[in-house]
Structure formats: C-alpha cells, structure tokens
Amino acid sequence: EDQVTQSPEALRLQEGESSSLNCSYTVSGLRGLFWYRQDPGKGPEFLFTLYSAGEEKEKERLKATLTKKESFLHITAPKPEDSATYLCAGFSGGYNKLIFGAGTRLAVHP
Amino acid sequence: NAGVTQTPKFQVLKTGQSMTLQCAQDMNHNSMYWYRQDPGMGLRLIYYSASEGTTDKGEVPNGYNVSRLNKREFSLRLESAAPSQTSVYFCASSAVVNTEAFFGQGTRLTVV
C-alpha cells in the first residue's frame, strides 16, 4: 500500500536552532513530492515540488531535498513565525491523487 | 485575488440532514479537489475533477457526491450526514492534475 510517513509528529525548537523534518514514502512509481505549510485554522500553503532524487529547492530559511526513499525539509535558524504544521505529499503517475502524510507540528520558541 | 473560496466556514448538522459545500476558484485552473482532514491523519481525497465536465472518486468517496458546475465551481454534497463525516473539508485547485495546488480556508463540519 502506498504510504507517506512524516517524522517527528511534533518538534519544538528554540529560535535559531536548525533542524530537519523527514518525509518517507512508499509510493510506487513516485512522480513527484510536494511540501506544504499549514497554519492553524487555514488551508495548506504550497512550498515546494520535487521531481527527482537529488533535487533541492530553497525558500528563505527552508530547503527541501529528495532521495529515492525520503524527503527532508531543512529549517535553518528558524524564527517563531516558522511555527506551523508541515505536510508532505507524494503522487504516482499511476493514479490522479496525492497521498498526504499526517504532518509535523513545528513550534519555534523565542 | 481571492484564490479558492469555500462556503460556509462552519456548519453543524444533525444526523440525516443534507448540505452542499460550495467552492469557487478564480485562477482559471482546470483541476479541482475535495479533501477531508481529520486529527492525526493526512488529508484524504474525496473526489476530484481533472477538468470541466469530469469527476472521479478519490480515496474516501462514500457518502458524498460532487458536481463540477463550470470551470470555476466544484461543489460537495452530503446527502445524509453521519457523525463519521465530522471533519474539516478543504477544496483545492491546480492548473492541471498533480501540480501545485491552492487550497481554500476550509469548512469545519460537525455532525451531531
């Protein structure tokens, strides 16, 4: 069964303390992987799409990377405004749907 | 630029009642989606419409129906609400299937 698993479920960081979020997937024939940010009470907001192993994308303090089995979202020197739930989702060319992970709740404290 | 607009934002239904969730996008996107989000679980696809005039089942379609009214609008109907349908519902759209999707603000539905 195709699955996307995110770890940890929750992460607490001090402001400036860099860390990484993990997204492992068992999606057969993965065609792409998305990262989204979701603030409480709001819909997910698109961050990145990664299509092939070795690909990296950056946006401000965030960098997403993709290997053949997992993706990482690296957060460098986070600020309190980076606090949110981060979702990853994979899709296969075999069907028209995204498979979402349950998310990682990130809290960055001053 | 409004993006994806969902109505209503909150709704409480009694078991057995019906209702329609409305969604409209103003980005000229071809594909639209309905997801539900439950605590501890990822977003799950209910139905999607790859393009105007087509709709297909997602992962959890039972108890729901959809209508792609035109290119802008995609509605989700609960014919006979059940407590298991208590959830937060999100509508999303993308230029084509499985590209960057834009989500609405969500509808928090409680069925009692």
Side-chain angles (χ1 to χ4, degrees), chain A residues 78-107:
Chain A
K79 298 181 177 182
E81 52 262 42
D82 295 321
S83 298
T85 296
Y86 291 86
L87 305 171
C88 72
F91 73 91
S92 162
Y95 47 81
N96 290 326
K97 67 174 182 177
L98 292 179
I99 299 176
F100 277 87
T104 293
R105 295 189 312 278
L106 174 66

Side-chain angles (χ1 to χ4, degrees), chain A residues 33-94:
Chain A
L33 189 135
F34 295 94
W35 281 97
Y36 287 87
R37 168 189 171 129
Q38 186 174 22
D39 292 301
K42 296 191 175 182
E45 177 186 346
F46 172 79
L47 292 173
F48 305 108
T49 308
L50 301 166
Y51 290 106
S52 57
E55 188 175 2
E56 297 183 352
K57 289 191 176 175
E58 289 188 64
K59 180 180 179 180
E60 296 180 356
R61 295 177 292 283
L62 301 177
K63 183 169 79 172
T65 62
L66 182 66
T67 72
K68 289 186 177 180
K69 293 185 177 181
E70 56 193 347
S71 178
F72 295 94
L73 185 66
H74 308 278
I75 304 177
T76 303
K79 298 181 177 182
E81 52 262 42
D82 295 321
S83 298
T85 296
Y86 291 86
L87 305 171
C88 72
F91 73 91
S92 162

Side-chain angles (χ1 to χ4, degrees), chain B residues 13-87:
Chain B
L13 290 179
K14 294 183 178 179
T15 297
Q17 287 185 320
S18 62
M19 78 162 296
T20 300
L21 308 184
Q22 306 287 352
C23 174
Q25 52 91 9
D26 62 3
M27 296 170 282
N28 200 35
H29 284 168
N30 290 299
S31 302
M32 298 186 72
Y33 315 82
W34 277 104
Y35 288 90
R36 61 179 288 173
Q37 187 174 42
D38 301 294
M41 303 183 73
L43 287 154
R44 291 182 293 169
L45 183 66
I46 304 170
Y47 272 92
Y48 70 99
S49 171
S51 59
E52 185 180 358
T54 69
T55 60
D56 285 288
K57 295 178 180 179
E59 185 182 355
V60 287
N62 292 344
Y64 306 94
N65 285 300
V66 291
S67 295
R68 183 75 183 264
L69 304 171
N70 48 55
K71 191 171 185 179
R72 291 186 64 247
E73 298 173 285
F74 189 39
S75 63
L76 178 72
R77 183 162 178 83
L78 287 70
E79 291 291 352
S80 179
S84 60
Q85 294 178 306
T86 293
S87 188

Side-chain angles (χ1 to χ4, degrees), chain B residues 83-106:
Chain B
S84 60
Q85 294 178 306
T86 293
S87 188
V88 181
Y89 291 84
F90 288 101
C91 176
S93 71
S94 64
V96 293
V97 172
N98 287 336
T99 57
E100 172 186 346
F102 295 81
F103 285 78
Q105 293 288 306

